[in-house]
Amino acid sequence: MAYRESYAGKINRKLNKKLHVVEVASGRQKADLVLKNATYVNVFCNELSHGDIAVAEGLIAGMGEHYEGAVEIDMGGKLVLPGFVDAHIHLESALVSPKEFANAVIPHGTTTVITDPHEIANVMGTDGIEYMLQATEDLPVDVRFMLPSCVPATPLDESGAVLDYRAIDSFYEHNRVEGLAEMMNYVGVANADEQVLEKIVAAQAHHKKIDGHAPGLSGNDLNAYIAAGVYSDHECSTVEDAIAKLERGQYIMIREGTAARNLDALLPLLTPQYYTYCMFCTDDKHPNDLLEKGHIQNPTAYDNNKCNSNNTFRCFLRHLAFGTDGIGIESQGIIDLMRGTHGGSVCDYRHALIHNGNRDLEFRIRSLLIDREIFFTVNDHVVIIRTAPLDIGSYFAVFHSDQSR
């Protein structure tokens, strides 16, 4: 008979971990791991910070100076930031085993994916879901699951199984199952189909989330869909569609994958007004894209011939949106860079003009390429672009205001 931990035993186990974390945070005990001299992205205040990062029990216990650890790694010259999350993907679309998928995305900084195994479930039913849960155990990527909501995808489809809410209900008890995957039958939801709605009710009974899939849905039909409990959508192809859903309380997943690419259309969402309600996802990512373009860290990169150290800033401004309270650049602007000198690894752009409707913005840019980091100064702000260690011309970016300049 399997051992079942008592409530008192559970509290005692968690207390011992908590005591260790607090002792490490206070500096009274050595950490399990210390990242020394780190420059890290502080996502709470949107700036780069410096110091040691102490880790205990798998948690960041403290950030500051003079932490000691059982293992210490000097992070001088490196950038530390939270791992990337793919908010919605079908792992089957990678056409490789989950283990090989993990090997492909880890070098690009992905640490978590939320997968919907509806493709394998359409063929194998609940056996396919069980296989995916087992095949993703103990991987270096944290694989979380949303249970397939539409197997078959439509009543007209032929599939290997028909899954109602009873067929998938037991999976909600698994500790890596987060909810019900994209509710593709938005027509059934909006028209109060009882068999469709009972899947949503069952997920809510387990205190789980329900992802959406409702391209172009609007008006009262959209109201009904969201009122049923669908909290997100990854099918927006226009900013108008996305804002209509944001206004009604949905979260928006900005999709940039292999089969569909919506990032360009949804760039205006990446402003302080909306970005806290947005996520990135790929939905489907084929092997050639993973190998050549990367994953979540690089949804915006051009190919290697178009995005190099001489024109990375042009690519960068083209693809990332700034509000006017940032560095004053509107995402709709057309960028003209007039390069002055280029000596060695230093590029000095004398001026850059942003043509944006009624006004032109002019500012000075200077860039410096050190190791795989490109530092840009735009007026009194600093932009850092760190290229990936792979020869694919990819990069990611971090922004902060540097008042000392």
Side-chain angles (χ1 to χ4, degrees):
M1 185 174 67
Y3 167 75
R4 183 171 182 177
E5 185 179 31
S6 68
Y7 181 70
K10 179 179 179 180
I11 293 297
N12 188 62
R13 173 173 54 83
K14 292 191 172 185
L15 174 62
N16 289 332
K17 287 187 175 182
K18 187 72 71 179
L19 288 169
H20 182 209
V21 170
V22 172
E23 291 293 319
V24 167
S26 67
R28 291 188 292 267
Q29 287 185 9
K30 282 188 175 183
D32 304 334
L33 169 68
V34 175
L35 304 179
K36 303 288 289 185
N37 307 312
T39 298
Y40 57 90
V41 179
N42 192 320
V43 296
F44 299 107
C45 54
N46 294 325
E47 66 181 18
L48 296 181
S49 301
H50 303 272
D52 296 343
I53 301 175
V55 179
E57 302 292 344
L59 301 173
I60 295 176
M63 298 173 289
E65 302 297 331
H66 310 304
Y67 275 112
E68 295 181 352
V71 177
E72 296 183 358
I73 301 175
D74 184 11
M75 302 302 293
K78 296 181 175 63
L79 189 65
V80 180
L81 69 163
F84 297 112
V85 178
D86 191 334
H88 173 74
I89 189 173
H90 306 285
L91 285 185
E92 307 96 310
S93 68
L95 307 179
V96 295
S97 69
K99 180 179 179 180
E100 291 306 316
F101 173 85
N103 291 338
V105 301
I106 278 288
H108 299 293
T110 300
T111 57
T112 303
V113 297
I114 316 297
T115 187
D116 167 14
H118 85 76
E119 294 174 0
I120 195 170
N122 267 303
V123 177
M124 299 177 61
T126 55
D127 287 344
I129 300 173
E130 186 63 44
Y131 163 76
M132 293 299 288
L133 285 166
Q134 293 179 14
T136 53
E137 289 283 356
D138 301 320
L139 293 180
V141 171
D142 186 10
V143 181
R144 301 282 167 157
F145 285 77
M146 303 294 279
L147 298 178
S149 64
C150 299
V151 177
T154 74
L156 300 177
D157 283 0
E158 294 183 3
S159 66
V162 176
L163 302 183
D164 61 11
Y165 85 91
R166 298 173 185 85
I168 62 175
D169 200 68
S170 62
F171 288 106
Y172 285 119
E173 300 302 321
H174 195 285
N175 61 2
R176 288 190 288 121
V177 170
E178 303 295 337
L180 187 67
E182 53 179 322
M183 177 48 73
M184 294 184 286
N185 192 353
Y186 52 88
V187 175
V189 174
N191 287 284
D193 184 307
E194 290 188 11
Q195 289 188 334
V196 175
L197 290 180
E198 65 185 7
K199 294 180 182 179
I200 293 176
V201 171
Q204 291 173 328
H206 290 276
H207 308 288
K208 302 296 185 178
K209 298 292 187 182
I210 298 92
D211 279 339
H213 171 119
L217 197 63
S218 62
N220 285 344
D221 286 342
L222 178 59
N223 290 337
Y225 187 67
I226 296 173
V230 182
Y231 94 116
S232 70
D233 190 271
H234 65 271
E235 290 288 338
C236 296
S237 57
T238 68
V239 72
E240 292 78 16
D241 186 17
I243 290 176
K245 291 168 180 174
L246 282 167
E247 289 173 342
R248 290 162 172 79
Q250 279 197 322
Y251 287 79
I252 300 301
M253 298 180 187
I254 300 175
R255 176 175 55 184
E256 190 73 7
T258 298
R261 297 179 174 90
N262 306 125
L263 179 64
D264 278 352
L266 301 182
L267 277 176
L269 299 182
L270 299 181
T271 63
Q273 182 178 3
Y274 299 120
Y275 76 84
T276 55
Y277 301 98
C278 296
M279 298 167 272
F280 288 114
C281 77
T282 60
D283 201 358
D284 299 285
K285 199 70 170 173
H286 293 175
N288 59 316
D289 270 358
L290 286 172
L291 293 175
E292 296 172 9
K293 299 177 182 178
H295 193 217
I296 290 293
Q297 104 290 354
N298 192 25
T300 64
Y302 286 109
D303 62 44
N304 198 41
N305 293 325
K306 294 181 180 179
C307 199
N308 51 49
S309 61
N310 288 338
N311 66 6
T312 300
F313 194 65
R314 181 191 297 272
C315 302
F316 169 75
L317 286 180
R318 169 68 183 85
H319 280 286
L320 295 178
F322 296 88
T324 54
D325 62 339
I327 59 176
I329 300 175
E330 297 279 358
S331 62
Q332 300 93 330
I334 301 172
I335 299 106
D336 287 332
L337 295 182
M338 288 155 286
R339 189 157 57 117
T341 61
H342 175 49
S345 61
V346 178
C347 301
D348 187 4
Y349 294 94
R350 298 301 181 187
H351 295 87
L353 292 176
I354 306 299
H355 306 296
N356 180 34
N358 297 326
R359 61 183 180 137
D360 287 351
L361 301 175
E362 183 173 342
F363 49 88
R364 294 175 61 85
I365 303 170
R366 181 173 175 80
S367 69
L368 177 63
L369 176 62
I370 301 177
D371 195 11
R372 292 186 177 93
E373 290 186 337
I374 303 172
F375 296 84
F376 288 103
T377 60
V378 182
N379 294 343
D380 62 346
H381 291 257
V382 175
V383 177
I384 299 175
I385 297 176
R386 180 171 175 80
T387 62
L390 301 177
D391 187 23
I392 57 174
S394 60
Y395 57 88
F396 61 82
V398 178
F399 322 105
H400 78 291
S401 177
D402 188 347
Q403 304 299 332
S404 65
R405 291 180 180 269

